[in-house]
Amino acid sequence: MANTWGYGAMTNSLNDIQNAKAIIIFGANPAVNHPVGFRHLLVAKERNNAQIIVVDPRFTRTAAHADLYAQIRPGTDIAFMYGMLNIIFKNGWENKEFINDRVYGMDDIRKEAAKWTPERVSDVTGVSTQKLIQITNAYARQTPGTLLWAMGLTQHTIGSSNTRIAPILQLALGNMGVEGGGCNILRGHDNVQGATDMCCLSHTLPGYYGLSDGSWKYFAKSWGVDYNWLKGRFKAKEWMNKKGFTLARWYAGVLAGKAGEDKIHNAGTNLKALVVLGNGITSIDQQAKVKEALDNLELIVIADPFVNEAVVLTDKKDDVFLLPAASQFETSGCVTATNRSAQWRSQVIEPLYESKTDQDLMFELAKRLGFYKEFTKGMLMKENKKSFKWPEDATDEFARIIKTIGFTGWTSKRLKNHQKNWDKFDHVSLMGYGPMKGEYYGLPWPCWTETHSGSPVLYDINRSVKEGGMGFRNRFGLMHDGVDLLAGKGSAPKDSANPDGYPEITAKNIEKVLGITLSASEKKRIGKNWKVDTSNIIAQKCMERGMAPYGNAKARANVWTFPDRIPMHREPLHSPRQDLVKEYPTYKDKPNHYRVDTRYASEQDKEDWSKKFPINLITGRLVNMNGAGVETRSSKYLAKLSPEMFCDINPGLAANHDIKNGDMMWIHSPSDTKIKVKARFTYSVAEDRVFLPMHFAGYFQGEDRSAHYPKGHKPYAVGESANTVTNYGYDIVTQLPETKGGLCRIEKA
Ligand SMILES: Nc1nc2c(c(=O)[nH]1)N[C@H]1C(S)=C(S)[C@@H](COP(=O)(O)OP(=O)(O)OC[C@H]3O[C@@H](n4cnc5c(=O)[nH]c(N)nc54)[C@H](O)[C@@H]3O)O[C@H]1N2
Ligand SMILES: Nc1nc2c(c(=O)[nH]1)N[C@H]1C(S)=C(S)[C@@H](COP(=O)(O)OP(=O)(O)OC[C@H]3O[C@@H](n4cnc5c(=O)[nH]c(N)nc54)[C@H](O)[C@@H]3O)O[C@H]1N2
Ligand SMILES: [Mo]
């Protein structure tokens, strides 16, 4: 089971933030979670006088550096951004030329924005009209402006809509495809961008190729394995093209069939075994269900350098295996940074004791399951080799196969060369000099050919395609509802042979769209379209003509294939504002959402949750702790900085419950679960909300489970997991849990 929580890739880079004249941050706390990258924001503030604007339900350490701060109610960012758009359109501050040439559907946004007057936004978000106007003024009138977001936007039932309204705001201002602008989506784990690109996900093949017969056949051919053999690995062919379970809801796959549990659609069987590589388990929402699921599994196998606290949470005694995984210092290979650029890493030491690297564990598993040959054959295909060299041949395999995001240039040879010469790149533009001239550091994707520069700023038409320029991708046809989806006249990247919008390139249209004639041999070798063209003729010809293989189209503000065509504010499932639930209800229940029937309306309407659970529950991170926390709580010095699980609470709220600073308190959730934690007084949270750090485990609903750690392995700090009380609720598109928008009740312990 792998793990990619965020979604969206950074369009620019942390370094490029130094070019920004305004910075707005929604639901991210980079001073704590990206403290090294945060330096670039401070440089922009110092050098360009860029105002930093923070929108967060808590006054964070990032907010402490901000010029303007809005204390928003959790889950209301769509209302806030429509409020900004309302003011922008009313004053004519939008970039009309950009919208006309490069955006589809902005009129629908304009209509919805007209409804979001400052007064209405203020009522929904809890931010004053003056503050909204002040922030919009400061942000919209200073371009380029960059927009940052992270988990505060994604961990909601409407998270996917949040991640659309933010780019729409940027599109309206013409802030996309420019230095100092863009959506700088701060990613999470080391190499989480790489994990997403490689598809540690259940709904795509590597490189975001869809689950379709065509993609499977392309991969079968590229891996050198028989398509029918691949098909035979599934219970029936239909399951090949169905999404799997997600990390958020594997527990439902185990518990299905029990009274009150959500139904599943999984070829007639429950999940019986769990294999974990690199997830903490206690970081997953609904810990009481997760515990029950762990207890009911037939087999648990966890590969981890630490004692994964899943084994502390479960009461299962037999058939639980902990495999010692090596850390990243004990292996080597290519990882992807938050700005889509690659980094080559070298091994520092051999794996210690009997530990094994993740790839060796997977190779051994493939051997035992009888498909090692098929599993590794892709690495032998390029030069018909007899044996492979790890990790070089793995990198060269995906460079050869994945066209969708432009991995062709990411050969192990080039990436190693970047590692060797990493001092020869400019820190802001990322452009190399001396021997690295003509390449951006890490070859940020798309890197279309073996000599392409990489693309430091996505969708930038001010530079030529050869130097990383491109328009928006043409992915959804040429027309929709009678409107042209291709980019407008004259809006092709610099030096393009075709100055206007153009479709994605196929073998059929290449001669016409590029204005070239292919030789007979080229015609024979060329792939059907740019996504499956392993001959790379399409990409090469495109480079010669200054054109992007994926076309030059309009960005979609209206996504007609989504549950909400334009982003719509919907109240969280457990909302403190029941009056607004009627006006902005959630979705209908969603059957078969990644194989699990998922409750929306039926959960929201079950009762007036705010009566029993009147307080907003926010969760997030601490600078000295990481993720589920076992790694950092196992460090004596890091643990000392936050030795106990706590709850940030406003003294005013605490006083109403007779809770004093340092007292123990109970937090109860709508799922009938509870945790016991220490109260920590702070004014960073308002009186209607509390904050819990997500990094603790080892206690469960008041019970100390320390005895479950194998001898000598108890971390220096243990405590309740916030995820025991985070509320039921999942994003309508991605199924990310609503871990940042829930309710709770508190009481003195
Ligand atoms: N020190 C440290 N650094 C880390 C990590 C770590 O565990 N420790 N984890 C890494 C990972 S995996 C990730 S994904 C990133 C996450 O990085 P961030 O997203 O910055 O992390 P969080 O603290 O979870 O959440 C950010 C902010 O969202 C706010 N928030 C909550 N609800 C809402 C809302 O509805 N609207 C708005 N506007 N804001 C809201 C919270 O108050 C919080 O301050 O950090 C990475 N960096
Ligand atoms: N309430 C709440 N819950 C959240 C969040 C939140 O904001 N609030 N944030 C969510 C987010 S964004 C994320 S990313 C998750 C993070 O939560 P997890 O994904 O659980 O994050 P980590 O603690 O980093 O867990 C990684 C595990 O991998 C192990 N590990 C480290 N290196 C290696 C390696 O090389 N190989 C192997 N096999 N294992 C290794 C570690 O020891 C650890 O046990 O939590 C999510 N849960
Ligand atoms: Mo994350």
Side-chain angles (χ1 to χ4, degrees), residues 7 73-81 124 152-166 562-564 566-573 584-587 600 604 729-738 741:
Y7 40 85
R73 175 165 69 89
T76 63
D77 296 85
I78 291 176
F80 191 91
M81 282 186 252
V124 172
L153 279 202
T154 56
Q155 295 174 4
H156 297 281
T157 41
I158 50 169
S160 49
S161 290
N162 273 331
T163 65
R164 290 166 56 211
I165 192 74
F562 267 29
D564 286 333
I566 57 166
M568 300 294 281
H569 172 63
R570 292 174 184 276
E571 282 294 312
L573 295 192
Y584 307 104
T586 189
Y587 306 91
Y600 290 87
Q604 192 175 53
Y730 300 92
D731 181 86
I732 190 73
V733 177
T734 64
Q735 215 180 61
L736 217 83
E738 194 158 53

Side-chain angles (χ1 to χ4, degrees), residues 561-748:
T561 45
F562 267 29
D564 286 333
R565 294 175 154 222
I566 57 166
M568 300 294 281
H569 172 63
R570 292 174 184 276
E571 282 294 312
L573 295 192
H574 308 93
S575 166
R577 289 288 303 272
Q578 292 294 311
D579 56 325
L580 294 178
V581 167
K582 286 182 201 79
E583 217 174 324
Y584 307 104
T586 189
Y587 306 91
K588 279 193 239 141
D589 288 5
K590 186 165 178 173
N592 201 358
H593 191 18
Y594 293 87
R595 303 199 178 187
V596 189
D597 287 358
T598 304
R599 301 177 330 254
Y600 290 87
S602 69
E603 179 73 12
Q604 192 175 53
D605 298 340
K606 205 163 156 192
E607 57 183 274
D608 175 350
W609 295 108
S610 69
K611 279 213 179 95
K612 270 191 246 154
F613 305 95
I615 299 163
N616 255 130
L617 176 64
I618 313 167
T619 62
R621 294 167 161 77
L622 304 173
V623 72
N624 59 306
M625 292 273 142
N626 179 66
V630 69
E631 293 163 291
T632 39
R633 282 183 284 106
S634 299
S635 152
K636 197 170 177 177
Y637 303 102
L638 293 175
K640 206 169 177 185
L641 298 172
S642 51
E644 280 170 289
M645 173 62 181
F646 61 86
C647 169
D648 272 350
I649 183 168
N650 185 296
L653 173 63
N656 294 340
H657 295 267
D658 195 25
I659 295 168
K660 289 192 217 49
N661 196 16
D663 277 357
M664 293 307 284
M665 60 187 276
W666 285 105
I667 299 177
H668 298 267
S669 88
S671 311
D672 235 357
T673 54
K674 59 181 183 181
I675 60 175
K676 194 169 145 192
V677 296
K678 191 172 250 182
R680 186 174 92 165
F681 277 18
T682 167
Y683 291 98
S684 65
V685 283
E687 291 192 26
D688 62 351
R689 57 198 72 170
V690 294
F691 169 80
L692 297 175
M694 60 163 290
H695 309 292
F696 286 82
Y699 275 67
F700 182 67
Q701 305 209 70
E703 180 204 351
D704 179 0
R705 295 183 66 85
S706 294
H708 289 244
Y709 287 97
K711 210 166 158 233
H713 284 276
K714 186 181 161 187
Y716 292 98
V718 290
E720 295 266 15
S721 168
N723 284 313
T724 305
V725 289
T726 46
N727 296 190
Y728 181 99
Y730 300 92
D731 181 86
I732 190 73
V733 177
T734 64
Q735 215 180 61
L736 217 83
E738 194 158 53
T739 21
K740 299 233 194 282
L743 292 177
C744 67
R745 172 167 63 84
I746 60 170
E747 101 190 286
K748 191 179 155 84

Side-chain angles (χ1 to χ4, degrees), residues 7-12 24 26 77-78 81-82 84-85 88-89 95 98-99 102-104 106 109 139 145-150 153-154 158-177 181-185 458-459 472 555-559 562 567:
Y7 40 85
M10 192 180 264
T11 60
N12 294 36
I24 192 162
F26 286 95
D77 296 85
I78 291 176
M81 282 186 252
Y82 271 128
M84 290 180 74
L85 286 161
I88 289 166
F89 288 132
N95 187 329
F98 189 98
I99 294 172
R102 303 191 63 192
V103 187
Y104 167 83
M106 192 58 92
I109 299 296
Y139 187 66
T146 185
L147 191 156
L148 277 62
W149 85 66
L153 279 202
T154 56
I158 50 169
S160 49
S161 290
N162 273 331
T163 65
R164 290 166 56 211
I165 192 74
I168 286 169
L169 177 62
Q170 290 293 70
L171 289 168
L173 293 169
N175 271 335
M176 292 299 258
C183 290
N184 283 307
I185 305 147
L458 292 182
Y459 321 123
F472 292 111
R556 296 188 306 167
N558 177 325
V559 180
F562 267 29

Side-chain angles (χ1 to χ4, degrees), residues 189-190 276-280 301-309 311 321-331 349-359 361 626 628-632 634-635 709-710 712-715:
H189 278 101
D190 169 43
V276 186
L277 279 101
N279 181 268
V301 181
I302 301 175
D304 199 308
F306 288 79
V307 170
N308 191 297
E309 283 157 311
V311 303
F321 298 91
L322 275 177
L323 306 178
S327 72
Q328 295 306 298
F329 301 107
E330 298 157 80
T331 183
I349 50 166
E350 288 293 319
L352 284 171
Y353 307 109
E354 74 273 34
S355 69
K356 282 199 187 319
T357 63
D358 287 309
Q359 64 271 13
L361 287 166
N626 179 66
V630 69
E631 293 163 291
T632 39
S634 299
S635 152
Y709 287 97
H713 284 276
K714 186 181 161 187

